[in-house]
Amino acid sequence: MIGSYAFMFSTHSGSFHLSTPCIILYSNRCGHCKKLAPDFEAAATRLKGTVPLAKVDCTVSTEICGRFGVTGYPTLKIFRNGQDSSSYDGPRSADGIVNYMKKQAGPNSVTLHSEADLESFIDHFDASVVGFFSGPDSGQLAEFLKSASAMREHFRFAHTTHMALGLEHGLDTEGVLLVRPPRLNSKFEESVLRFTDAITTNTLRRFIRDNIFGMCPHLTIENRDKLKGRDLLTAYYDLDYLRNPKGSNYWRNRVMKVGSQFASQGLSFAVANRKDFLDELEEEFGLGASDGGDVPFVTIRTRQGFKYTMREEFTRDGKSLERFLQDYFAGRLKRYIKSEPIPEKNKGPVKVVVAESFEEIVNDPEKDVLIEFYAPWCGHCKSLEPKYKELAEQLYSDPNIVIAKMDATANDLSLPVYLCHIPFSPFSCHALFLLFSISPFCSVGFPQSTSLGQARRTSPYDMRCILPTRL
């Protein structure tokens, strides 16, 4: 139970007695659950009387968690009218949980009756999607409401049958307006976009997805996942739209002015509050808390995971950013690679690889190399260590084979491999192995608990086999 702000789960009926609750199914031994607990507690306090939150300990209520198919911790679910409605896939911060669940508590789409209703709805921190229809029997309205139901977890919807409300925004027929957050209004792009095609869930989703962020969105902890999967330049600085909106847009406008020159080259842009991402900037880009000063710290992260930083100070005329982008697109920038120091002694059966020595050891054209990417805090990785060392000792005398390991939490990879098997929860806790082979086929002796998956040759690396294992 989350303090006095949660509600009781009926272990007999398996149902909930309050509408639209969110429940966390957890294990009291799970580190991720413990990390989430303070934010979940804070959200429960702030949502008291609006949306109830609760929790169930799966190590005690095993029948309940089994009934809902819990396979990993923490699992968050949303219930409507006492029934399992959907998985919670929103932010994990207190602010994010509050905002997400408030959306769940209201209607799929808010009905607007007046100009005041419209202005109040679109004057919001997030973008707004508003439909304008000829009457309650409109077929387009029915499709809009269906779409709103499908996408309510991600976007804000409202609708009206007072067509005159759309005239001020240039809409004189049935259609939809996508209104970007007022704080992000800029002369470099339109703040209101119009959609007048036939409405279906797919067409409306595509329109929103392609336009909602605009040219330079405000990157936050809550929306960061939506901006993944693209090449993204981010300017981090003392951004605060509540206390200093004018100052926050000062640097954003300069990013947009320069970025507009490169808009057709596939790079996206964003601005963010440096304080919100201090840990990430330190971990991923080596930025200290006192680095950067009053000017933005600029990074680029590509969809392949390659990272670049602008070392020249961001000038107020934007020329330094322009030069940085010119160098980036010309391929003149050196990637930022996080690496541990190269070991002075590395003669053991298991070779220690760091980012700076990856090319030399792993991509040696004369060697077959099996490398383990691990996390030092991973219990499964620790359990595997003696078996992996035993394998290395058995093959140590073969000069053509190298058994290696690399701490994936302290080193960047030199090839575009996403380590989805490196542990992030007790149910996805793996060590990931890649075999770089000079032979047409690869075959190695390995404990029976290991599964061997064949992978096609991937240029420019002769990557033959991927061996994920969970003990």
Side-chain angles (χ1 to χ4, degrees), residues 67 75 80 84 123 126 137 144 172 225 261 297 320 342-343 432 445 460:
R67 186 186 314 169
T75 293
R80 298 185 191 281
D84 183 359
D123 185 17
D126 295 322
D137 297 327
F144 180 84
D172 57 4
D225 288 342
Q261 303 174 38
F297 178 73
S320 60
I342 297 177
L432 180 69

Side-chain angles (χ1 to χ4, degrees), residues 368 395 401 435 437 439 441-446 452 454 464-465:
D368 288 333
L395 298 175
I401 295 179
L435 178 60
S437 177
S439 306
F441 302 97
C442 61
S443 177
V444 295
F446 213 71
L452 175 63
Q454 293 286 70
R464 299 291 185 176
C465 297

Side-chain angles (χ1 to χ4, degrees), residues 132-150:
F132 298 80
F133 305 99
S134 57
D137 297 327
S138 167
Q140 287 287 81
L141 173 57
E143 287 297 323
F144 180 84
L145 294 177
K146 180 181 177 181
S147 302
S149 176

Side-chain angles (χ1 to χ4, degrees), residues 398-413:
D398 190 326
N400 297 316
I401 295 179
V402 175
I403 306 300
K405 66 179 182 179
M406 186 169 105
D407 182 351
T409 68
N411 296 277
D412 286 338
L413 286 178

Side-chain angles (χ1 to χ4, degrees), residues 66-319:
R67 186 186 314 169
F68 293 113
V70 177
T71 58
Y73 305 127
T75 293
L76 285 83
K77 287 185 172 290
I78 295 173
F79 285 73
R80 298 185 191 281
N81 301 317
Q83 300 299 319
D84 183 359
S85 173
S86 63
S87 296
Y88 174 95
D89 61 355
R92 298 297 179 97
S93 65
D95 288 342
I97 294 171
V98 169
N99 293 334
Y100 190 95
M101 291 309 300
K102 280 184 176 179
K103 293 178 183 178
Q104 298 298 319
N108 295 331
S109 177
V110 177
T111 303
L112 307 178
H113 301 284
S114 65
E115 181 69 25
D117 289 347
L118 175 60
E119 293 301 321
S120 176
F121 184 78
I122 64 178
D123 185 17
H124 196 272
F125 190 83
D126 295 322
S128 306
V129 183
V130 185
F132 298 80
F133 305 99
S134 57
D137 297 327
S138 167
Q140 287 287 81
L141 173 57
E143 287 297 323
F144 180 84
L145 294 177
K146 180 181 177 181
S147 302
S149 176
M151 295 184 281
R152 62 169 295 162
E153 296 179 1
H154 306 289
F155 310 112
R156 304 175 62 251
F157 291 90
H159 65 277
T160 183
T161 54
H162 298 279
M163 292 290 294
L165 296 180
L167 294 176
E168 184 178 339
H169 301 283
L171 190 67
D172 57 4
T173 184
E174 286 194 326
V176 177
L177 295 180
L178 172 58
V179 185
R180 292 178 178 138
R183 74 185 189 285
L184 300 181
N185 288 350
S186 170
K187 65 180 181 181
F188 296 103
E189 65 180 353
E190 295 184 47
S191 59
V192 180
L193 289 88
R194 299 157 192 83
F195 179 82
T196 56
D197 294 344
I199 297 174
T200 66
T201 299
N202 287 336
T203 59
L204 190 57
R205 178 185 284 115
R206 188 179 306 114
F207 168 72
I208 297 172
R209 181 195 62 204
D210 292 346
N211 295 285
I212 192 165
F213 287 119
M215 181 180 170
C216 186
H218 174 192
L219 176 69
T220 66
I221 299 297
E222 283 70 38
N223 68 17
R224 62 190 299 180
D225 288 342
K226 297 178 183 178
L227 289 167
K228 286 183 178 178
R230 62 180 72 189
D231 299 342
L232 182 66
L233 178 148
T234 307
Y236 299 89
Y237 56 98
D238 187 17
L239 182 151
D240 190 337
Y241 278 107
L242 293 179
R243 297 178 178 86
N244 187 17
K246 184 177 180 180
S248 296
N249 276 329
Y250 177 86
W251 290 112
R252 179 173 179 266
N253 286 336
R254 278 144 185 78
V255 172
M256 296 181 74
K257 181 179 180 180
V258 176
S260 61
Q261 303 174 38
F262 302 87
S264 63
Q265 300 193 44
L267 182 66
S268 300
F269 299 85
V271 293
N273 187 343
R274 181 192 284 123
K275 294 178 181 178
D276 292 342
F277 294 92
L278 276 180
D279 291 342
E280 177 178 312
L281 289 173
E282 181 179 1
E283 175 71 16
E284 299 295 328
F285 293 96
L287 179 72
S290 60
D291 294 340
D294 296 329
V295 299
F297 178 73
V298 177
T299 72
I300 293 177
R301 185 194 295 270
T302 69
R303 68 193 70 193
Q304 291 89 2
F306 296 160
K307 300 181 295 187
Y308 306 87
T309 61
M310 189 174 89
R311 292 306 179 183
E312 185 180 357
E313 185 174 288
F314 198 135
T315 56
R316 295 181 185 275
D317 60 6
K319 293 298 183 181

Side-chain angles (χ1 to χ4, degrees), residues 334-391:
K334 182 180 179 180
R335 286 174 49 201
Y336 176 84
I337 299 178
K338 177 179 66 175
S339 177
E340 293 179 296
I342 297 177
E344 294 183 3
K345 297 181 180 180
N346 201 12
K347 299 295 185 181
V350 179
K351 302 299 181 186
V352 176
V353 176
V354 299
E356 293 292 344
S357 64
F358 189 94
E359 289 292 329
E360 177 185 354
I361 297 177
V362 178
N363 290 321
D364 186 338
E366 303 298 325
K367 307 288 187 181
D368 288 333
V369 181
L370 176 69
I371 182 168
E372 173 201 10
F373 299 99
Y374 71 96
W377 41 261
C378 166
H380 298 288
C381 301
K382 293 177 181 178
S383 298
L384 177 66
E385 186 173 3
K387 299 179 184 178
Y388 195 61
K389 184 178 180 181
E390 180 183 353
L391 170 68

